Amino acid sequence: MEKQHLHKFYQKNRTERIEALAAANIISEEDKLALTDHLALPEETANHMIENQIATYQLPYGVGLNFLIDGKEYAVPMAMEEPSVIAAASSAAKIISQAGGFETTIQERTMIGQIVLKDVPDLEAAKQVVLDHTEDILQKANEAHPSIVKRGGGAKAVEARPIAADDQVQTPDFLVVHLHIETLEAMGANIIDTMAEAIKPYLESLTNGAALMGILSNYATECLATARCQIPVSLLARADYSGEEVRDRIIEACQIAIVDPYRATTHNKGIMNGIDAVVLATGNDFRSIEAGAHAYAARSGQYRSLTNWTKAENGDLVGTLTIPLAIGTVGGSISIHPGAKFSHKLLGNPSAKELESIIVSVGLGQNFSAIKALVTEGIQKGHMGLHAKSLAISAGAKGEQVDVVTEKLKQSKNMNLATAKEILEQLPN
Ligand code: MEV
């Protein structure tokens, strides 16, 4: 990556940005053409992806710059409708790269398939029978999807979780059996669901219960990714705040999100701004990642911040983020969607573990930028510039008019559509 070509990337127009990425050796000539064509999804592919398809719905697609993750530089693809997110991610990544970058840990990549059994006469006895037949259960599950076993993956462990009847919420006894499945490079929904459904009859015969369903769990607690960064206070100082003050205010911003679910929800939404954008750009299932992340945020019994910001012994600011990240690099729409394929190529065709490292780092960086802005100048200052631009475009400004109207709008007392239209009307034709 020859980063000098990316200088003031945001000030370039789209064509110049594509040229700059090519000059920096991040994309090829072929990639340039694909981008110029907006990574268009062919009609036939779109028609095969969903039912009742009538159009394709586009989102802006950009790159988060300056990411240094486990010693490797990345331009990160992000698909997103919200202004400021990519700018915030890139600015966080710049500061964090000056501090040595993100370090990540990916513990394991094991997915969970659940089989829910009802009307089980004796929960504890059934649990024991299930555990005693672990090998048989694994064999039957693996027979249902031999190709993943051939590649070194497959069902590896069994867990049984009796859930007793709860009079308060009026629920009966359930026995939930978990299959722990290694899906290798895939997120593996089809593999997991096939295995979970295949062993329903056997579990019914073992437990004398009735299977209610077999399906993956999006609460992927066996597929956790962690990012960490450590930032010296010298990189945090702002005009109105010393580096120590910014550090302490960031820590306090995290503390309020640890104790207050109202704040935690917004705090975590900011993290998901970055995570969803990369998950979406890489053709992964952002709903499953969202669901898993929020469930993980509530694992203590209260919904809390997903990140943790603390002070290191030497006074540095230390941030960590751990989330379940059941993403894949093959399967689903990944190998058929041109945008998804392009994103994987842009990232150097990472393994699923490497992609997890990238995504969790973007989430941590996104949170750093958001709370740093919130506890210093506030976020509106940065947002208003982009808001002014969308107002200028909504008012009908075209080409060079957009920047002129945006600038005048920023100086005006009332930043709204009516003012944008007035400014536009007063411009010479
Ligand atoms: C806006 O999309 C995200 C933020 O609200 C996140 C936060 O409050 O931490 C700025």
Side-chain angles (χ1 to χ4, degrees):
M1 195 179 286
E2 291 169 39
K3 284 202 302 199
Q4 70 277 16
H5 298 285
L6 305 179
H7 188 58
K8 298 225 167 22
F9 192 76
Y10 62 96
Q11 286 182 352
K12 299 181 193 295
N13 64 34
R14 190 172 86 89
T15 312
E16 290 166 346
R17 289 187 198 126
I18 294 174
E19 289 298 341
L21 288 173
N25 276 329
I26 296 172
I27 59 169
S28 65
E29 284 300 313
E30 187 197 340
D31 295 337
K32 269 169 59 178
L33 289 178
L35 283 176
T36 309
D37 196 25
H38 285 283
L39 304 172
L41 179 60
E43 167 55 31
E44 207 191 327
T45 314
N47 193 32
H48 284 122
M49 283 175 75
I50 59 162
E51 306 74 36
N52 299 354
Q53 186 257 344
I54 51 171
T56 54
Y57 175 96
Q58 300 193 337
L59 278 179
Y61 177 91
V63 273
L65 295 177
N66 314 315
F67 277 90
L68 179 65
I69 302 167
D70 298 324
K72 198 167 159 187
E73 289 175 333
Y74 296 93
V76 181
M78 300 174 80
M80 159 64 44
E81 92 295 349
E82 184 175 329
S84 299
V85 169
I86 295 182
S90 304
S91 106
K94 190 169 187 180
I95 295 173
I96 294 168
S97 70
Q98 285 160 7
F102 298 90
E103 278 169 16
T104 70
T105 330
I106 311 300
Q107 285 121 10
E108 54 185 334
R109 270 184 57 79
T110 305
M111 308 301 168
I112 298 171
Q114 291 198 299
I115 301 89
V116 179
L117 295 145
K118 61 175 194 147
D119 303 331
V120 175
D122 183 339
L123 284 187
E124 284 308 319
K127 172 182 171 178
Q128 199 48 54
V129 175
V130 167
L131 295 180
D132 289 346
H133 289 79
T134 294
E135 289 312 315
D136 295 341
I137 295 169
L138 292 177
Q139 192 187 337
K140 287 189 191 319
N142 284 327
E143 278 166 9
H145 212 298
S147 60
I148 189 72
V149 181
K150 258 189 230 144
R151 281 181 273 138
K156 304 282 180 181
V158 173
E159 198 190 341
R161 299 171 47 233
I163 299 179
D166 187 331
D167 291 340
Q168 215 181 340
V169 284
Q170 298 185 351
T171 52
D173 281 346
F174 289 110
L175 179 68
V176 183
V177 177
H178 282 190
L179 273 181
H180 289 204
I181 304 169
E182 284 175 16
T183 55
L184 307 177
E185 284 301 301
M187 184 268 198
N190 283 326
I191 302 170
I192 305 165
D193 296 347
T194 302
M195 289 188 176
E197 291 199 340
I199 60 166
K200 282 194 308 190
Y202 185 55
L203 291 178
E204 285 180 325
S205 69
L206 284 180
T207 62
N208 293 321
L212 184 64
M213 67 177 87
I215 183 76
L216 89 174
S217 170
N218 289 126
Y219 190 25
T221 52
E222 311 301 314
C223 186
L224 297 178
T226 300
R228 179 185 185 279
C229 61
Q230 178 156 350
I231 310 170
V233 286
S234 57
L235 293 174
L236 295 174
R238 321 279 292 175
D240 298 338
Y241 297 91
S242 71
E244 285 77 7
E245 280 171 321
V246 174
R247 174 199 62 205
D248 294 344
R249 291 171 73 82
I250 287 176
I251 293 171
E252 285 158 356
C254 185
Q255 288 166 339
I256 181 64
I258 290 172
V259 292
D260 176 23
Y262 283 87
R263 175 55 208 152
T265 307
T266 322
H267 179 98
N268 290 343
K269 186 273 183 185
I271 296 169
M272 300 315 287
N273 274 345
I275 289 184
D276 282 345
V278 190
V279 169
L280 197 53
T282 54
N284 276 289
D285 177 349
F286 60 93
R287 286 89 56 212
S288 80
I289 301 301
E290 280 279 343
H294 297 297
Y296 194 67
R299 67 194 179 285
S300 67
Q302 182 183 320
Y303 187 87
R304 298 182 193 279
S305 162
L306 282 163
T307 51
N308 197 22
W309 291 95
T310 53
K311 181 170 138 183
E313 262 176 32
N314 68 356
D316 288 355
L317 176 68
V318 176
T320 56
L321 168 64
T322 298
I323 46 161
L325 262 185
I327 50 79
T329 57
V330 294
S333 67
I334 297 170
S335 36
I336 52 172
H337 189 282
K341 282 201 277 188
F342 185 90
S343 297
H344 285 265
K345 192 169 172 212
L346 184 64
L347 290 170
N349 291 314
S351 67
K353 280 191 174 181
E354 189 180 343
L355 183 56
E356 284 186 48
S357 294
I358 297 165
I359 295 172
V360 70
S361 299
V362 174
L364 181 59
Q366 203 75 55
N367 179 239
F368 169 70
S369 245
I371 56 178
K372 178 165 69 66
L374 286 171
V375 299
T376 54
E377 71 269 19
I379 57 157
Q380 280 310 89
K381 199 173 156 213
H383 275 189
M384 284 328 247
L386 282 157
H387 180 51
K389 200 170 207 168
S390 5
L391 286 174
I393 295 167
S394 306
K398 301 256 171 342
E400 285 169 10
Q401 288 176 331
V402 176
D403 285 341
V404 179
V405 175
T406 304
E407 276 320 303
K408 285 189 187 276
L409 201 52
K410 280 203 251 174
Q411 316 297 329
S412 70
K413 253 205 245 145
N414 299 317
M415 196 192 281
N416 54 33
L417 188 59
T419 317
K421 283 185 177 163
E422 268 168 39
I423 296 171
L424 185 62
E425 274 163 24
Q426 282 159 19
L427 288 187
N429 282 324

